[in-house]
Structures are given as C-alpha cells and as structure tokens.
Amino acid sequence: MKSLISPENYWGLWAIVVGFAALSIVLEQKYKWASVLSGAIIALICAMFLSNLNIIPISSPVYDIVWGYAIPLAIPLLLMKCDIRKIAKESGRILIIFLIGSFATAAGSITAYFLLRNNIPELEGIAAMITGTYIGGTINFVALSSAFNVSGKMVSSATVADNLLMALYFFVLISIPSVKFFRKHYAHPYIDKIEMNKMSDTENASKNYWKPKEISLKDIALSMSYAFIIAALANIISPIFAKIIPKTNFIFQMLNGLLGNQYLIITTISIISTALFPNVFSKIGGAEEIGTFLIYLFFFVIGAPASLIEIIKNSPLLLVFCALVVMVNMIVSFIFGKVLKFNLEEIILASNANIGGPTTAAAMAVSKGWFELVGPIMLVGTLGYVLGTYSGVFVGNLLIKL
C-alpha cells in the first residue's frame, strides 16, 4: 500500500524523522516513565506505528542517508572525549571487573548463538550486534548492524528485545543492593555511607546528565569537521585493506574482515587521535550531544521498515538470546567480583556499563547516590565503546567462518 507521505517527499520525511527524534528526547528528559523506557525506544516505536499505519514509507533515500552518513559521523563524535591513557590511569579496580564482564559477554554471545542458530535468521550479525552493545553501547549496536548488513526488520526486532531485556536487567541491578544475600556476601561501603547519611535519590537521571553546557559555534564547526574527516579517511582506508589482504586462510580472512571494516577503522582513527591530542579534543564542546542526536535519528529510521507481525514473531527468541548473554555476564561478573573482593557497587556498575553503556551506568550511580563512582564508571564505560566494535566484529566474523 502507498503511504500518505511518499518515499520521494524528502522534506516531509526529514521533518518527521528529525521531529520525532527531538520529541523522544524531550519526553525522555521530562517524564520518568519515558526515561525508564528510553528515548531511543520511543523513537523506534513511533516510527513503527507511523509505517504500519501507512503514514510514512517503509523505505526511502532519506533512510539510506541516515544509515550511510549519520552513523559514521556519530562514532567519532561520541569517541572524541575517550582518552585511553586516562581511562587506564584513573579507573582503577573497576576496569578489571568491567573487562572480565566484557569477556563474559563475548562468550555468552557465542554460546547463545550455538544454542539458537537454527531458530533465528541472520544470527551471526545479530550476535555481533549484541556483543558490541553489551560491551559498549548503542553506538556499537548501530555500527555493527551496518557492518554486517543486518536487515531492517531484524535490527528492529533485536532492538526491541535488547532494550526490553536491558530494562529488566536494570531493575534487577537496582534491586540487588536490597537483597540480603548480596548484602551478606559482598562489601558495600557506598551503600553503608548513604544509609548512614540518609541521602536521597536525585531527579530524572537523563535530564541531569544532559544538562545545558556551554557550546560555541567554533565547537560545532570543529566537531563536525573532525567527524567528516575521520569518516572520509576510513572510507578510503578500509577498502584498501579489504583489497590487499588475501583470504587464503582463516587468519587472513579474519584480518580482512577486521581491517576492511569501515566502522572499525573509524573507531581506531578516533581513539588514536584522542590519545595523541587529548588536550585539544577535551576542550571541544557539543560533540557528545550532536553524536547522540544522530543516534536518535537512526533509531527512528530502523523502526520504519519494522513489521509488527515480524517483530512479534522474532522478538521472543531474540529476547531469549539476549537473556542468555546477560545471564553469562552477570554470573561471571559476580563470581569473579567475589573472588577478587570487589565491592558490590563496583560489580553492579561494571555490569551496567557492559549491558547499557557509560551513560546508564553513570545515571544509576547518580540515582543511587554513589557519586564517587560516577567519574570512574564513565571512563570505563567509554572504553566499552572502543572494545565493543572490535569485539563485535571479531565475534561476527568468527561465527561466519565457523
């Protein structure tokens, strides 16, 4: 059926895509229920309903532009403040448990893949996406969905399953400090301090995190030029690697898949740049805000081709897949956390940073009053953005070869 707004009505579609992305952000920061649901899911659901009601088309060159340009630009913008040397120096103990959880996530994805590969289509690419997002965050999910050419309907289904499971897991993590078993077997100095001082929860975490900052015209110009230059370089370099690296054996095939991946090259150039010139990039404002807004555009776009029937059909099994990955992450994190004598708060936040990313982990730290851990978990979680793409590409290529 023809949609009310045709695929060639570019201005009309851009107005809807950008408008609903903005609406989802406003709702997320204004209402607690929307903050819990997340603006990304609100944008996706809005697009799903608009396309299923034939108001907007399921495909259009407008959507292709978001896929092809918005995401490669978002990656360097969101990695602009990621100084690996600073992360290693300041994150301390929490980095160790985070890396253990990251390894558990990759192992969980591989395990879940072999259990469900006969029941879920395109599972190699989906396993890569889930590995990336459960080590890093949305940016990795987006990059890997493009890197492995996962279809729009499966990306939408995976997004619904991922975010539903993530929301349930956050509820579990938030509840853990009140469970007697964990209070008995793990140290919890920050919880003790709060209870002693009777500190209260803060306001909407999303609104608090994205509070107004000073951003100049020069900041916007430098951020965007940096993102375009990195994306352009990666677009030149990755095809060269893909062409010159032979595929004569398993090792070379894996290397070709890694170095020939545009998104991995974007990530690599970004972290090298910030490591070499940390003082330059740390002074540029607005990059994270612009990059995050581009991610919201993506979430609206991936909802457009989503058939509700297909999502109902595919999401339950994908929910099982995500649950298996999260269970492995949680079990390994808490076992090793106990063995290595980590605090309960450190384990909870590290697992949160794995599954949800640095912003959700920081938001949880703020909401629970563990303010001393906000900085370290943000630094460690940001490292997940780097590791997520590498890990996802490796897992996806490994499963394809196997």
Side-chain angles (χ1 to χ4, degrees):
M1 294 179 64
K2 289 185 177 181
S3 58
L4 180 64
I5 299 177
S6 70
E8 293 76 28
N9 186 350
Y10 301 147
W11 280 109
L13 279 177
W14 273 118
I16 289 177
V17 171
V18 176
F20 273 92
L23 175 64
S24 65
I25 293 172
V26 171
L27 292 175
E28 181 183 44
Q29 295 191 19
K30 187 173 184 179
Y31 300 104
K32 191 171 182 179
W33 64 264
S35 178
V36 173
L37 184 61
S38 86
I41 285 297
I42 293 174
L44 186 147
I45 291 174
C46 289
M48 284 170 46
F49 277 103
L50 289 174
S51 64
N52 279 270
L53 293 173
N54 293 312
I55 295 174
I56 63 174
I58 61 174
S59 63
S60 168
V62 170
Y63 307 156
D64 296 336
I65 290 173
V66 174
W67 277 88
Y69 293 90
I71 304 313
L73 291 174
I75 296 173
L77 288 169
L78 291 172
L79 292 178
M80 190 174 288
K81 302 295 175 66
C82 177
D83 184 352
I84 290 184
R85 296 174 302 176
K86 187 177 181 182
I87 291 172
K89 182 179 179 181
E90 298 182 8
S91 58
R93 287 160 40 90
I94 204 167
L95 175 61
I96 299 172
I97 194 65
F98 176 83
L99 293 175
I100 291 172
S102 299
F103 178 82
T105 293
S109 292
I110 294 171
T111 302
Y113 169 82
F114 283 107
L115 291 174
L116 297 170
R117 61 178 174 176
N118 295 325
N119 304 103
I120 302 176
E122 304 181 59
L123 194 53
E124 294 85 359
I126 292 171
M129 291 159 53
I130 297 301
T131 299
T133 193
Y134 284 175
I135 290 176
T138 302
I139 181 177
N140 306 99
F141 183 96
V142 172
L144 290 161
S145 67
S146 296
F148 286 90
N149 296 314
V150 180
S151 65
K153 67 178 182 180
M154 292 307 296
V155 171
S156 298
S157 299
T159 301
V160 172
D162 164 34
N163 283 272
L164 176 59
L165 198 283
M166 187 166 57
L168 293 173
Y169 186 54
F170 289 167
F171 178 78
V172 171
L173 289 176
I174 290 172
S175 303
I176 281 176
S178 62
V179 177
K180 289 184 179 180
F181 173 84
F182 293 101
R183 295 286 286 264
K184 180 180 179 180
H185 292 91
Y186 293 85
H188 38 78
Y190 299 97
I191 296 172
D192 293 339
K193 179 180 177 181
I194 291 171
E195 291 179 346
M196 188 166 54
N197 295 330
K198 297 181 179 180
M199 295 175 67
S200 61
D201 287 345
T202 60
E203 60 180 327
N204 183 310
S206 177
K207 180 181 179 181
N208 185 63
Y209 180 78
W210 294 110
K211 58 187 177 182
K213 302 172 187 175
E214 184 177 339
I215 300 172
S216 68
L217 176 61
K218 184 177 72 173
D219 289 331
I220 297 173
L222 291 175
S223 296
M224 293 306 296
S225 61
Y226 166 79
F228 271 96
I229 290 170
I230 295 246
L233 287 174
N235 194 52
I236 295 171
I237 295 171
S238 57
I240 294 175
F241 278 123
K243 185 176 181 180
I244 64 176
I245 298 175
K247 299 181 180 181
T248 53
N249 57 50
F250 177 79
I251 299 298
F252 280 125
Q253 288 174 357
M254 289 293 296
L255 193 61
N256 185 286
L258 289 170
L259 297 180
N261 186 289
Q262 175 191 7
Y263 298 93
L264 189 139
I265 297 297
I266 289 175
T267 301
T268 303
I269 298 175
S270 298
I271 62 174
I272 290 175
S273 301
T274 55
L276 291 176
F277 308 103
N279 294 330
V280 174
F281 293 109
S282 64
K283 296 176 181 177
I284 300 176
E288 189 176 12
E289 285 79 4
I290 298 171
T292 301
F293 183 68
L294 293 176
I295 292 293
Y296 276 81
L297 298 183
F298 168 81
F299 270 102
F300 183 88
V301 165
I302 64 172
S307 165
L308 291 177
I309 295 175
E310 289 291 335
I311 288 178
I312 293 172
K313 177 182 175 182
N314 293 321
S315 286
L317 282 176
L318 287 171
L319 188 63
V320 173
F321 181 92
C322 293
L324 289 171
V325 179
V326 170
M327 283 177 60
V328 173
N329 177 284
M330 180 180 179
I331 291 170
V332 171
S333 295
F334 276 89
I335 288 176
F336 276 88
K338 176 63 176 178
V339 172
L340 299 175
K341 298 182 179 180
F342 281 90
N343 297 328
L344 181 61
E345 300 93 337
E346 293 171 332
I347 301 170
I348 290 173
L349 291 179
S351 187
N352 186 313
N354 275 145
I355 305 305
T359 54
T360 62
M364 179 175 286
V366 170
S367 68
K368 302 298 286 186
W370 306 337
F371 299 109
E372 296 93 333
L373 295 176
V374 173
I377 199 58
M378 273 298 295
L379 290 170
V380 169
T382 303
L383 177 62
Y385 284 153
V386 178
L387 297 178
T389 302
Y390 285 100
S391 302
V393 170
F394 177 82
V395 168
N397 280 286
L398 176 64
L399 295 178
I400 289 172
K401 303 309 176 188
L402 294 177

